Amino acid sequence: MKRSARAFWLSSPGQGEIREVALPDPGEDEVLVRALWSGVSRGTETLVFRGGVPESQHAAMRAPFQEGDFPAPVKYGYLSVGVVEEGPRDLVGRTVFCLYPHQTRYVVPVSAVTPLPESLPAERAVLAGTVETAVNALWDAAPLVGDRIAVVGGGMVGCSVAALLGRFPGVRVQLVDADPARAKIAEALGVGFALPADALGECDLVVHASATEQGLARALDLLTAEGTVLELSWYGDRHVSLPLGEAFHSRRLVIRSSQVGTVSPARRSSRTYADRLALALDLLADPALDALVTGECAFEELPDVLPRLASGEIPALCHRVRYEAIG
């Protein structure tokens, strides 16, 4: 009898469903993984859910094991943690991270899974992809000891960046967000917090991750002369206006993009994608990062939960998906 699994598919923009999918037997140098947890990255995945990926970015936005094409039907996701049930002897029984969509079981090449460090709980490891984005961003930003830094936007990526920056010696780090509830998360991460109007200025570096033009404008306001905004937001199909008049040129401000799809040029000659992910998993040993998981549901509930995440009815950073002993 052929084996099968169950997967979450976006059937049309704003509408998801769980489908039964065929599950091949693992071949040589492949593993069969049973999912334990997956994570919904609220920013990217809800943009995909509403059909907001521009046609020009369809290729760039493809997830490693995506099936279908944007806008739909498409099987999308990239934060999966599971246990290896079949494969090489040294991996069977190991808990691994994989950039795979929301699916109960799946077969992938051995090279696609990364075993978790023993110190990392499986339920926290769903944050690995986001912390990897933060690692890449800090390779791009190259902060210095003693820098004055703001992170504008307290979503998953912004909070992950702030958490890592909080470990730098001598830096002043402030998480800036319009939602005062983010203050508790900033406290858990060991960094300062401010509403946009109250944020400290004269920053050497501002990391922008709010995905709003108001946030980007405020990020520019917070810079010292010759300071840099590192832009981590992705706006999908939206147009953004920037205040590039007034003192933008005389203060010699810099706006620089960063994106996790390629390893930062600062480390490209000496680090691989695997190195970057392994570093992210090591950094996740810090239990403070549990603050980034703000909700949880069963896999079967995803068709009802994702529309509520996309609309903001369920406020979330990382929403964790729980897999029971299902096929």
Side-chain angles (χ1 to χ4, degrees), residues 137-182:
L138 295 186
W139 283 347
D140 279 334
L144 300 176
V145 172
D147 272 358
R148 296 161 295 187
I149 304 173
V151 179
V152 177
M156 276 183 72
V157 171
C159 285
S160 297
V161 170
L164 299 189
L165 283 169
R167 306 180 186 191
F168 278 63
V171 299
R172 184 192 80 190
V173 184
Q174 194 169 53
L175 181 66
V176 180
D177 197 277
D179 183 358
R182 293 287 191 261

Side-chain angles (χ1 to χ4, degrees), residues 5-240:
R6 303 178 75 210
F8 177 80
W9 277 74
L10 177 64
S11 51
S12 62
Q15 183 71 42
E17 63 184 14
I18 292 176
R19 300 180 180 180
E20 188 169 301
V21 296
L23 194 66
D25 292 328
E28 188 177 358
D29 295 325
E30 290 186 324
V31 290
L32 169 64
V33 178
R34 173 173 57 85
L36 299 172
W37 305 92
S38 62
V40 178
S41 179
R42 185 168 179 260
T44 303
E45 288 198 55
T46 59
L47 187 145
V48 169
F49 187 77
R50 69 174 179 83
V53 179
E55 187 173 351
S56 65
Q57 296 301 302
H58 282 190
M61 276 290 293
R62 287 193 69 87
F65 295 98
Q66 174 180 324
E67 292 184 39
D69 296 300
F70 302 119
V74 64
K75 183 175 77 174
Y76 191 83
Y78 48 85
L79 301 173
S80 182
V81 178
V83 61
V84 175
E85 292 191 322
E86 297 180 26
R89 184 178 301 175
D90 61 333
L91 283 176
V92 172
R94 294 289 302 273
T95 305
V96 296
F97 177 83
C98 185
L99 295 167
Y100 205 89
H102 308 284
Q103 185 166 310
T104 56
R105 281 185 170 88
Y106 47 89
V107 174
V108 293
V110 168
S111 59
V113 299
T114 302
L116 303 190
E118 292 185 4
S119 59
L120 176 57
E123 56 267 35
R124 190 186 306 148
V126 297
L127 298 168
T130 307
V131 174
E132 185 181 10
T133 300
V135 167
N136 208 58
L138 295 186
W139 283 347
D140 279 334
L144 300 176
V145 172
D147 272 358
R148 296 161 295 187
I149 304 173
V151 179
V152 177
M156 276 183 72
V157 171
C159 285
S160 297
V161 170
L164 299 189
L165 283 169
R167 306 180 186 191
F168 278 63
V171 299
R172 184 192 80 190
V173 184
Q174 194 169 53
L175 181 66
V176 180
D177 197 277
D179 183 358
R182 293 287 191 261
K184 290 184 179 179
I185 295 173
E187 182 181 6
L189 298 176
V191 299
F193 176 81
L195 296 171
D198 303 323
L200 298 172
E202 296 299 308
C203 292
D204 305 288
L205 169 68
V206 178
V207 179
H208 180 241
S210 81
T212 67
E213 64 180 51
Q214 296 91 340
L216 183 51
R218 186 61 178 139
L220 288 168
D221 288 340
L222 295 176
L223 288 176
T224 190
E226 300 186 355
T228 296
V229 168
L230 188 76
E231 177 58 278
L232 285 178
S233 300
W234 194 66
Y235 300 91
D237 56 0
R238 290 176 293 145
H239 292 278
V240 177

